[in-house]
């Protein structure tokens, strides 16, 4: 940041950027609007910011004279960019390599302007700057037009959730203030942003060096009827305050003072009052707020967003760094798998199967790349499945953590819906969280029953198994719709029954009509459907029955939960068939309806399917007939169900 910048800057050669716009000089009581300025390298970002400081009166005569002297010393005309390009390397190369935060104000409100670097090698700094922005100025050089890095920056704005964008076509003086040139660039920009789902607030022509259309309309571009840059800035709406969002208090640390345990953290969203009942996630522990402590001040009755506080509770519970405190209502999502839109910054590519450390708020966890669904070409916005993400690429991936995480979707809570990735203690990427197609697992892992006492039957499972002459099993058939699960299960049931084995099929036909009749097909309902079936199947197996559970069961976590319920009686069978084959076996026309958008969240089309990683048995119905598949499964089950001597 600028404090660090100042330690490197030669104060005798250039005015201080921090001094250029000192926040203490502001008299406007409004909250500053956070604005990021992005674009291709050398498209005039720093020049524009320097000019904005001059036009808004943020420069003293002394600083202006110093800037003029620096420019003359280097044999250049007034170079406004020197206000920001405070590193010697930047002045020599004409490249901004750090993020500067500059304060100024208009008649309407104050601003914090983030001048982000445009060069591809400094993309990490651009992302750092844009992550906190409420609005953006996207710079385009009139003589060069839309460049690759401009496209990449625009995509990253969308990825980071910056929806308010004004496009500034600068250096119009270099093209003779040509209206036709401006309109051609404006059409290209508007079309590209539309593909991203972004609609620019305004596209306007300027010359930052000459001050044209910065604070006053330029006579050289009388054909432009739109706003000036300052008017465009004042047209941005501030982001809704996180104070009105549900409470999120990531636990930073726990301190012991005397006999008190103080849980410390900074409120990321919402507000907190003494007496509130807090839920800590992912542990699920609850307690009531006894006091709200602040440093070197008396206890408070309430605290609000961005306040660093310490909380004592009415009872001692074990809470550690990384937990997230919330109210009982509007708690964060609990999951160990989520989708993410990421940008990758490391020289070594990110590949499927790689394990990275992720940080979400104060939580550090290891996560494995389960899938790379799309690597985005920022030129064409085309994308497809890939095995790796290379440096400076953006992608949509699926991450699976080793434990439950408490998190929010970025679209719901930008402050808590972002994360960074690291390798060997180096930040190598970051992104935003999406749960599209995946369930909130809180309901599945929350135990609500109480005052229960387990009792053991006098007839244990070994006795039941010996009477039946075989072990009880949960044979879990998973695969896409149309893979042939039910066909294989029914044929296998018939063959095993004819051999004298106690066998029964559980599938959607006999479960969703009764036990699970109250469930739909949302991700959460799918999870609950499989949870119930898994528990029932485990009871069947305990009673000595071979259960053939035939369910799409798209989420690996749900199948793992069913495995945990049945223990060593659980056997996962992957009924494998390519999606193209499944679509040809579509007697009910479900795939066709899903492709037409008539069925939402359809597995394999608009909802994810996580294939087993290491199933006990794999039946390839794409290559085998149902009879052959059933014979293979019967042979496997007979061996698995055989009683040991």
């Amino acid at each position: 940041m600028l404090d660090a910048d100042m330690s490197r800057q030669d104060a005798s050669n250039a005015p201080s950027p921090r001094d250029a716009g000192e926040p203490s000089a502001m008299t406007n009581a409004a909250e500053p609007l956070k604005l990021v300025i992005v674009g291709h390298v050398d498209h005039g970002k720093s020049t524009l910011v320097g000019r904005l400081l001059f036009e808004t009166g943020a420069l003293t005569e002394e600083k202006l004279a110093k800037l003029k002297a620096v420019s003359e010393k280097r044999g250049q005309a007034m170079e406004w960019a020197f206000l920001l390009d405070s590193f010697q390397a930047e002045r020599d190369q004409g490249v901004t390599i750090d993020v500067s935060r500059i304060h100024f104000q208009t008649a309407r409100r104050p601003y914090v302007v983030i001048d982000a670097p445009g060069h591809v090698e400094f993309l990490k700094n651009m992302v750092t700057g844009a992550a906190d922005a409420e609005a953006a100025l996207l710079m385009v050089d009139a003589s060069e037009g839309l460049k690759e890095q401009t496209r990449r920056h625009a995509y990253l704005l969308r990825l980071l959730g910056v929806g308010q964008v004004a496009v500034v076509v600068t250096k119009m003086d270099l093209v003779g203030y040509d209206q036709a040139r401006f309109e051609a660039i404006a059409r290209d920009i508007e079309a590209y942003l539309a593909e991203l789902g972004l609609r620019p607030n305004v596209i306007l022509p300027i010359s930052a060096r000459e001050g044209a259309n910065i604070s006053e309309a330029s006579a050289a571009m009388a054909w432009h009827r739109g706003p000036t840059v300052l008017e465009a800035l004042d047209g941005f709406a501030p982001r809704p305050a996180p104070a009105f969002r549900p409470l999120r208090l990531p636990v930073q640390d726990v301190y012991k003072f005397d006999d008190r345990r103080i849980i410390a953290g900074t409120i990321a969203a919402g507000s907190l009052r003494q007496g509130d009942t807090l839920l800590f996630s992912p542990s699920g522990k609850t307690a009531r707020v006894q006091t709200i402590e602040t440093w070197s001040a008396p206890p408070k009755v309430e605290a609000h967003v961005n306040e660093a506080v310490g909380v004592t509770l009415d009872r001692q519970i074990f809470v550690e760094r990384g937990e997230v405190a919330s109210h009982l209502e509007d708690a964060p999502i609990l999951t160990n798998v989520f989708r993410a839109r990421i940008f990758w910054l490391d020289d070594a590519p990110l590949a499927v199967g790689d394990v990275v450390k992720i940080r979400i708020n104060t939580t550090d966890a290891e996560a494995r790349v389960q899938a790379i669904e799309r690597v985005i070409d920022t030129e064409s916005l085309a994308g497809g499945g890939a095995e790796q993400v290379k440096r400076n690429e953006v992608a949509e991936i699926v991450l699976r953590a080793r434990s439950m995480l408490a998190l929010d979707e970025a679209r719901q809570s930008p402050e808590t819906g972002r994360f960074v990735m690291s390798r060997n203690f180096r930040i190598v990427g970051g992104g935003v969280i999406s749960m599209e197609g995946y369930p909130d697992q809180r309901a599945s892992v929350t135990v609500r029953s109480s005052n229960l006492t387990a009792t053991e039957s006098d007839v244990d499972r070994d006795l039941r198994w010996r009477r039946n002459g075989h072990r009880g099993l949960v044979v879990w058939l998973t695969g896409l719709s149309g893979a042939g699960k039910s066909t294989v299960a029914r044929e296998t049931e018939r063959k095993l029954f004819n051999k004298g084995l106690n066998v029964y099929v559980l599938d959607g036909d006999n479960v969703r009509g009764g036990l699970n009749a109250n469930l739909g097909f949302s991700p959460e309902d799918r999870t609950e459907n499989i949870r119930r079936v898994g528990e029932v199947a485990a009871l069947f197996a305990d009673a000595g029955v071979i259960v053939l559970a035939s369910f799409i069961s798209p989420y690996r976590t749900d199948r793992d939960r069913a495995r945990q319920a049945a223990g060593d009686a659980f056997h996962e069978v992957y009924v494998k068939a390519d999606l193209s084959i499944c679509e040809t076996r579509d007697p009910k026309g479900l795939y066709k309806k899903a492709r037409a958008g008539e069925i939402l969240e359809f597995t394999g089309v608009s909802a994810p399917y996580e294939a087993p990683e290491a199933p006990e048995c794999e039946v390839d119905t794409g290559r085998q007939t149902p009879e052959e598949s059933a014979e293979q499964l019967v042979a496997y089950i007979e061996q698995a169900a055989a009683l040991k001597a």
Side-chain angles (χ1 to χ4, degrees), residues 203-399:
I203 303 176
L204 63 141
I206 70 165
S207 170
R209 186 183 299 278
E210 303 302 324
N213 282 347
I214 305 298
S215 61
E216 295 182 359
S218 168
M221 291 180 283
W223 43 265
H224 174 64
R225 304 296 183 185
T228 63
V229 173
L230 292 182
E231 289 170 341
L233 295 183
D234 285 344
F236 287 133
R239 180 186 296 156
F244 299 105
R245 300 197 185 106
L247 172 66
R248 296 291 184 267
L249 174 58
V251 175
Q252 180 76 27
D253 212 337
V254 180
Y255 302 98
K256 292 192 69 175
F257 289 96
D258 303 323
D259 60 345
R260 297 177 302 160
R261 297 181 75 249
I262 299 180
I263 299 168
T266 299
I267 299 175
S271 58
L272 176 67
R273 288 185 62 85
Q274 185 179 357
D276 284 355
T277 297
L278 296 183
L279 168 66
F280 291 88
S281 299
S283 70
K285 297 173 183 176
T286 60
R288 190 171 58 85
V289 176
Q290 187 164 288
T291 64
I292 300 174
E293 313 279 346
T294 56
W295 312 120
S296 304
K300 305 181 67 171
V301 174
E302 61 182 332
H304 303 283
V305 67
N306 294 329
E307 287 192 63
V309 297
V311 174
T312 65
L313 304 174
D314 66 338
R315 61 191 185 92
Q316 298 295 340
I317 60 174
F318 179 74
V319 174
E320 57 186 340
R321 175 184 171 88
E323 297 251 18
V324 178
S326 69
H327 292 126
L328 293 174
E329 305 80 16
D330 296 317
I333 293 164
L334 279 189
T335 187
N336 64 341
V337 60
F338 61 91
R339 276 196 163 106
R341 296 196 300 272
I342 68 157
F343 45 86
W344 188 248
L345 303 168
D346 198 22
D347 288 331
L350 179 69
V352 173
D354 281 0
V355 175
V356 294
K357 179 167 283 188
I358 60 173
R359 170 165 288 186
I360 305 172
N361 303 312
T362 59
T363 301
D364 290 310
E366 286 191 340
R368 185 170 58 83
V369 180
Q370 179 170 301
I372 298 174
E373 297 185 324
R374 295 179 71 208
V375 174
I376 309 300
D377 182 339
T378 53
E379 285 282 341
S380 65
L381 291 184
E387 290 299 314
Q388 61 181 16
V389 185
K390 299 176 183 177
R391 177 180 171 86
N392 293 330
E393 286 186 332
V394 291
E396 296 174 0
I397 69 173
V398 177
L399 287 170

Side-chain angles (χ1 to χ4, degrees), residues 45-48 50-51 67 78-86 90 96:
K45 298 180 299 297
S46 298
T47 301
L48 174 59
R51 191 78 199 203
L67 176 63
M78 183 70 86
E79 184 49 76
W80 302 102
F82 284 171
L83 282 168
L84 276 75
D85 296 347
S86 54
E90 293 175 11
T96 303

Side-chain angles (χ1 to χ4, degrees), residues 62-83:
E62 179 183 359
K63 291 170 185 172
L64 200 59
K66 187 177 290 188
L67 176 63
K68 184 177 181 180
V70 171
S71 301
E72 290 176 348
K73 180 179 178 180
R74 294 178 176 272
Q76 297 176 332
M78 183 70 86
E79 184 49 76
W80 302 102
F82 284 171
L83 282 168

